[in-house]
Amino acid sequence: MIPRYSRPEMVAVWSPETRFRIWFEIEASACEAMAELSVIPKEAARAIREKGESAKFDVARIDEIERVTKHDVIAFLTHLAEFIGEDSRFVHMGLTSSDVLDTCLAVQLQRASDILIADVDGLLEAIKRRAFEHKLTPTVGRSHGIHAEPTTFGVKLALAYAEFKRARARLAAAREEISTCAISGAVGTFANIDPRVEAFVAKRLNLDPEPVSTQVIPRDRHAAFFAALGVVASSVERLATEIRHLQRTEVLEAEEYFSEGQKGSSAMPHKRNPVLTENLTGLARMVRSAVTPALENVALWHERDISHSSVERMIGPDATITLDFALARLTGVIDKLLVYPDNMQKNLDRLGGLIHSQRVLLALTQNGLSREDAYTLVQRNAMPVWRGEGDFLALLKADKDVVKALSPAELEALFDLGYHIKHVDTIFGRVFGE
């Protein structure tokens, strides 16, 4: 992943140094388990642990060996033997490369999940604060991009909060599903290694033994993981798109923070563009691009092949690093979002009262008119207002057929903005539990 869209903590999860250190932990733990079972000498297991933990693995040296061996795990084991010496003959006994690679990937995905879950927690905190700040800030709700009926900006943010609570749950479930360990040897039969070794390593790494690993951990687990990332990325894009629309010049109900010295355009000095949320839209596309390859990795040949390997070496770091960056960026956008209640009110008033049309319709039906007749009366007064030819309430008061059913005072009472937001407390109670 390019540095521009990367954060150090998540990058470190995928560094070669981290990978090799996890590989060593798997190998050393397996040796300790075998020593407990009297398969290898305890002194050897102890020496392997001590010498390996004090060693600084040389990535360049491992790469050099791999250029000859054409095998990354063998290259690592060869380099490890340079530190350990004679006892290295006990390392990797009964294991196959996928035992190390797949178990390591599980650890890395666990760590990545922990970072992403923490990211969502930070985002939820920011959304909640802003939601309560604008709990009763009236704004127009839109369907098909067209003014519909009033809502509040707090309700819009409550929607986002509920969505990212679900995102957090999805990430937690994905973390649990991916947290399995395979130390079962060639084709997964434990022929050359005791299943108790796998159980020991799994416990040491806070993983569960994979029930049937067939030399590789089944890739439906990974497909579910990356699919979860894709859904979370789509939630990021949904909220980013909402902000982009609200920042449009003709709307300008909310706006990304524009810092001192920031420039919006190389050509037009007046521009303040929604660059962060546009960037989030693009990043979401990149995270979702990992989902299809992950799904296609499920169908491997027989007990194993490595058609999935090259895919995961790319999508593992890229998808998690990108989503981590996107969640952090979205948190910053929400935290500093500029909100313009006056513009929200102006937009509410822009259609001359048409946002109250449904309430007038319902009042007419409650006073004896059929729904079809009531709809016709309301629409014939609404369409001139839509064309900019008058005020909705004034036209209704002048319509003899309307005032037969509703007095001018009754009509005026139907244009109360508070009517539309009377259940905001109920919505907030459902979302925030308070």
Side-chain angles (χ1 to χ4, degrees):
M1 192 61 210
I2 63 174
R4 184 180 183 91
Y5 304 125
S6 305
R7 300 205 306 158
E9 185 182 8
M10 187 66 89
V11 170
V13 170
W14 301 102
S15 71
E17 292 81 3
T18 297
R19 182 172 72 255
F20 294 140
R21 185 53 58 186
I22 297 171
W23 286 7
F24 169 73
E25 181 60 36
I26 294 166
E27 297 284 6
S29 296
C31 288
E32 288 164 347
M34 286 186 277
E36 290 293 323
L37 296 171
S38 301
V39 176
I40 70 172
K42 290 186 178 180
E43 296 78 10
R46 187 161 43 249
I48 290 165
R49 168 67 69 182
E50 291 174 355
K51 291 179 181 179
E53 283 189 342
S54 63
K56 180 175 174 57
F57 299 130
D58 187 337
V59 176
R61 171 62 178 150
I62 295 172
D63 289 343
E64 178 187 2
I65 298 170
E66 187 180 354
R67 281 193 288 272
V68 176
T69 63
K70 305 295 191 297
H71 196 292
D72 54 354
V73 175
I74 292 175
F76 169 75
L77 293 172
T78 302
H79 181 55
L80 184 61
E82 294 172 344
F83 292 101
I84 293 174
E86 184 179 348
D87 288 328
S88 63
R89 63 196 176 97
F90 298 115
V91 176
H92 206 69
M93 275 186 53
L95 277 69
T96 188
S97 298
S98 291
D99 291 334
V100 179
L101 295 171
D102 280 11
T103 302
C104 174
L105 180 58
V107 173
Q108 289 175 300
L109 292 178
Q110 266 193 345
R111 294 180 184 179
S113 298
D114 290 339
I115 295 171
L116 293 173
I117 290 169
D119 291 340
V120 174
D121 285 339
L123 176 58
L124 286 169
E125 184 179 335
I127 294 172
K128 181 177 180 179
R129 179 176 62 82
R130 301 309 301 271
F132 275 90
E133 179 184 345
H134 293 285
K135 179 179 179 180
L136 296 176
T137 301
T139 189
V140 69
R142 298 171 173 88
S143 57
H144 306 276
I146 308 301
H147 285 205
E149 292 192 353
T151 182
T152 76
F153 193 63
V155 170
K156 281 179 174 281
L157 292 175
L159 169 68
Y161 186 92
E163 185 170 357
F164 280 102
K165 282 285 285 186
R166 295 191 295 273
R168 190 190 192 284
R170 290 186 182 104
L171 289 172
R175 183 193 189 280
E176 182 177 358
E177 183 161 12
I178 207 67
S179 297
T180 63
C181 168
I183 307 291
S184 54
V187 304
T189 60
F190 298 99
N192 294 299
I193 191 165
D194 194 302
R196 289 174 290 179
V197 174
E198 181 182 67
F200 182 95
V201 175
K203 185 176 181 180
R204 179 68 62 83
L205 297 175
N206 195 30
L207 301 171
D208 292 321
E210 179 64 43
V212 183
S213 58
T214 69
Q215 194 161 329
V216 292
I217 292 174
R219 258 45 196 181
D220 63 291
R221 294 184 181 275
H222 303 76
F225 180 88
F226 287 102
L229 298 194
V231 174
V232 176
S234 292
S235 294
V236 169
E237 183 178 11
R238 191 205 65 76
L239 184 51
T241 300
E242 176 71 16
I243 294 168
R244 289 170 61 194
H245 281 304
L246 296 178
Q247 187 164 337
R248 289 166 50 219
T249 305
E250 297 82 2
V251 178
L252 201 56
E253 294 178 357
E255 182 181 31
E256 291 178 13
Y257 178 75
F258 198 80
S259 62
E260 187 70 28
Q262 184 175 341
K263 305 292 189 291
S265 167
S266 63
M268 296 165 284
H270 72 278
K271 294 295 291 297
R272 288 166 65 121
N273 301 327
V275 292
L276 299 179
T277 45
E278 289 175 341
N279 170 255
L280 289 171
T281 296
L283 295 179
R285 294 170 184 167
M286 294 308 299
V287 176
R288 286 195 300 270
S289 73
V291 177
T292 296
L295 292 169
E296 291 176 345
N297 278 352
V298 174
L300 303 180
W301 285 17
H302 305 301
E303 278 60 53
R304 71 159 297 196
D305 65 47
I306 63 164
S307 60
H308 64 286
S309 176
S310 57
V311 174
E312 290 168 356
R313 289 174 192 263
M314 288 187 275
I315 67 173
D318 284 1
T320 55
I321 290 172
T322 303
L323 186 56
D324 168 54
F325 183 91
L327 288 167
R329 170 155 284 184
L330 182 57
T331 301
V333 168
I334 296 299
D335 188 58
K336 294 184 175 182
L337 188 69
L338 303 176
V339 180
Y340 302 121
D342 290 345
N343 285 349
M344 291 179 179
Q345 187 61 54
K346 288 178 182 177
N347 286 333
L348 275 166
D349 297 336
R350 187 170 181 176
L351 287 185
L354 292 184
I355 55 175
H356 301 289
S357 69
Q358 179 180 196
R359 197 168 179 210
V360 177
L361 168 67
L362 296 176
L364 288 170
T365 61
Q366 290 164 2
N367 280 20
L369 274 70
S370 70
R371 183 176 180 85
E372 291 75 14
D373 290 342
Y375 198 104
T376 299
L377 288 180
V378 175
Q379 190 177 47
R380 82 184 185 193
N381 287 284
M383 290 302 100
V385 181
W386 186 271
R387 297 190 295 268
E389 298 171 2
D391 175 77
F392 188 42
L393 179 57
L395 289 173
L396 289 170
K397 288 180 178 180
D399 190 314
K400 295 179 180 179
D401 294 324
V402 172
V403 295
K404 284 180 183 177
L406 295 170
S407 69
E410 288 174 323
L411 285 169
E412 289 174 7
L414 298 175
F415 282 66
D416 173 26
L417 193 61
Y419 174 86
H420 294 275
I421 62 176
K422 62 181 180 293
H423 291 304
V424 168
D425 283 339
T426 299
I427 295 170
F428 268 57
R430 290 177 173 182
V431 174
F432 301 106
E434 52 189 81

